[in-house]
Amino acid sequence: MSTASSSLPDTDLLRQTIRASGLKVTAPRVAVLRALQRLPHSSAERVFDRVKDELAGTSTQAVYGILAAFTGAGLVRRFDPPGSPALFECRVGDNHHHLVCIRCSAIRDVDCVIGEAPCLEPSDDAGFVILSAEVTFNGLCEQCRTISSTDDNP
Amino acid sequence: MSTASSSLPDTDLLRQTIRASGLKVTAPRVAVLRALQRLPHSSAERVFDRVKDELAGTSTQAVYGILAAFTGAGLVRRFDPPGSPALFECRVGDNHHHLVCIRCSAIRDVDCVIGEAPCLEPSDDAGFVILSAEVTFNGLCEQCRTISSTDDNP
DNA sequence: CGTTTATTTTGAACTACTCAAAACAAACCG
DNA sequence: CGGTTTGTTTTGAGTAGTTCAAAATAAACG
């Protein structure tokens, strides 16, 4: 058995990941990271729902703060689909893109079209230093596509 | 002189554009379209600020409704930069992308890297029907880049 | 184990946006 | 040109998502 301070098995690894990013390790942070690994593309509220089951007494504000700290440290990635709260995921550094269903808001990861470092270079950078690129494909998922062709009034 | 019902010169053209999209022509709609042509990448609030100078008595709700109607009719395009309210622009149908300064929130249009129909095809569409693609480059504009290299504490 | 420094809680406030009902105006038509 | 229909705007209120600030608390370092 490992010397985990929490009862869950992967806690030590989560703690290491957090510390490796230069952040202090706390119980709420471990819980948030675990929640996010289990439920990718989660909103702050959804993360909070899961965290409070594991660690009662955690506040929403803590979750917002932790997600901001993780994002700043490069541990998680944030993205903002239109008409939806901000979403967070652990998959980071691989510059993947997102498929968003405009009907049911389902999210799917998709690898970049053009190899490793994709759409990272615009035709004219207008003097900008580009730090990251976010590609979002809006469409209809398989299920919603079928519904929409049957029933024209969503 | 044209038979414009408003005093501004380009009003007739704006009215035609709105009607051509299948929408009723009203004074607030003309004012919103004019504001948006003058100030691209504007938030609803910013559009409202300009509209109310031209047409006192217009409500914010009307502006939100008009922008939603225009977007639905394909007359304007909406996009959602992270941490900012939704932005609207008239340039539509050419699938251009956006450069966003993460420091001062400046927006610049940029044409697509890969010819006409760009990043519109993901490597694996996971059963989705893709309707549109949104590419956002996050970075530092020329001015903020200079400031950042001089002053490390933003 | 105490000190320092960062984090979390607590409580409140704010922004962007949406909803619903009543008042109103544009478009169509005789 | 005036009535009718249909869609739009105003008015008034409400909500979700997020942020702020100060006090309480816990992690890390020595």
Side-chain angles (χ1 to χ4, degrees):
Chain A
M1 231 188 209
S2 72
T3 58
S5 46
S6 169
S7 55
L8 290 108
D10 50 347
T11 302
D12 281 351
L13 186 55
L14 294 170
R15 297 174 62 88
Q16 282 168 32
T17 308
I18 294 165
R19 186 126 34 144
S21 299
L23 296 166
K24 278 190 180 175
V25 177
T26 68
R29 284 183 174 175
V30 172
V32 164
L33 191 54
R34 177 152 35 223
L36 223 42
Q37 284 185 352
R38 208 168 283 244
L39 304 168
H41 311 132
S42 287
S43 65
E45 208 61 41
R46 195 145 102 96
V47 170
F48 170 68
D49 278 347
R50 184 158 260 266
V51 163
K52 71 164 193 269
D53 290 342
E54 181 183 328
L55 201 72
T58 311
S59 64
T60 36
Q61 286 83 340
V63 172
Y64 276 102
I66 291 164
L67 290 170
F70 281 2
T71 305
L75 206 62
V76 313
R77 180 170 157 189
R78 169 192 165 139
F79 85 115
D80 298 66
S84 149
L87 266 30
F88 300 85
E89 64 187 339
C90 293
R91 218 184 129 181
V92 85
D94 66 345
N95 202 292
H96 67 277
H97 308 326
H98 293 113
L99 246 35
V100 180
C101 178
I102 57 171
R103 199 173 203 271
C104 72
S105 300
I107 310 276
R108 295 291 279 273
D109 284 344
V110 62
D111 292 320
C112 187
V113 207
I114 315 141
E116 282 292 300
C119 311
L120 259 168
E121 283 176 37
S123 52
D124 168 21
D125 67 7
F128 277 56
V129 187
I130 307 300
L131 300 172
S132 67
E134 184 63 47
V135 182
T136 306
F137 298 98
N138 300 110
L140 287 167
C141 72
E142 196 150 28
Q143 204 183 341
C144 288
R145 188 182 52 157
T146 324
I147 296 164
S148 291
S149 56
T150 312
D151 162 25
D152 266 27
N153 288 46
Chain B
M1 231 186 208
S2 71
T3 58
S5 45
S6 170
S7 55
L8 290 109
D10 50 347
T11 301
D12 281 351
L13 186 55
L14 294 170
R15 296 175 63 88
Q16 281 168 32
T17 309
I18 293 166
R19 185 126 34 143
S21 299
L23 296 165
K24 277 191 182 176
V25 177
T26 67
R29 284 184 173 175
V30 172
V32 165
L33 191 54
R34 177 152 36 223
L36 224 43
Q37 284 186 352
R38 209 168 283 245
L39 304 167
H41 311 131
S42 288
S43 66
E45 208 61 40
R46 195 144 101 95
V47 169
F48 171 67
D49 278 347
R50 184 158 261 265
V51 163
K52 71 164 192 269
D53 290 341
E54 182 183 327
L55 202 72
T58 311
S59 64
T60 36
Q61 287 83 339
V63 172
Y64 276 103
I66 290 165
L67 289 170
F70 281 2
T71 306
L75 206 61
V76 313
R77 179 169 157 190
R78 169 191 165 139
F79 85 114
D80 298 68
S84 150
L87 265 31
F88 299 86
E89 63 186 340
C90 293
R91 218 184 129 181
V92 85
D94 66 345
N95 203 293
H96 67 277
H97 308 327
H98 294 113
L99 247 34
V100 181
C101 178
I102 56 171
R103 199 174 204 271
C104 72
S105 300
I107 310 276
R108 295 291 279 274
D109 284 344
V110 63
D111 292 320
C112 188
V113 208
I114 315 140
E116 282 291 301
C119 310
L120 260 168
E121 284 176 36
S123 52
D124 168 20
D125 66 8
F128 277 56
V129 187
I130 307 299
L131 301 172
S132 68
E134 185 62 49
V135 182
T136 306
F137 298 98
N138 300 111
L140 287 167
C141 73
E142 195 150 28
Q143 204 183 340
C144 289
R145 187 182 53 155
T146 324
I147 296 165
S148 291
S149 55
T150 312
D151 160 26
D152 267 26
N153 289 45

